[in-house]
Amino acid sequence: MSSPRRPRGSVNDPIALGWKVQRENKEFFTDLAAKAGLSGAAMFDLMIENIELDERGLPSWAPQKDDEGKLPIDKP
């Protein structure tokens, strides 16, 4: 089954993602996109355009720093 493609020229300033990720995660993402009738690239763009951010400007599921709310202490 080939993945659906967006029409040529429909992406403004396209760039290839050069990240190495866990194979299982990539396959899960590809399957998710296919179920939605999208290519992996179209699914990525759609997710980024619709991601909800918290007051930190991060997704609510992003890890929180342990030192939040503490004063910085210089270490020698």
Side-chain angles (χ1 to χ4, degrees):
M1 175 168 129
S2 66
S3 58
R5 296 181 148 235
R6 292 185 275 197
R8 183 178 293 278
S10 65
V11 178
N12 184 23
D13 195 22
I15 186 169
L17 302 176
W19 306 324
K20 291 185 180 183
V21 298
Q22 289 293 118
R23 180 178 307 277
E24 303 86 41
N25 293 340
K26 199 291 190 175
E27 290 171 355
F28 176 79
F29 189 82
T30 302
D31 291 343
L32 191 64
K35 287 178 187 177
L38 300 168
S39 67
M43 184 70 153
F44 175 83
D45 284 341
L46 188 61
M47 283 178 36
I48 294 302
E49 291 164 6
N50 291 285
I51 195 166
E52 291 186 29
L53 305 178
D54 64 14
E55 64 279 351
R56 301 173 296 155
L58 296 171
S60 59
W61 46 262
Q64 296 219 5
K65 292 183 180 179
D66 291 338
D67 61 354
E68 216 171 292
K70 298 178 184 173
L71 295 175
I73 297 175
D74 293 331
K75 294 183 180 179

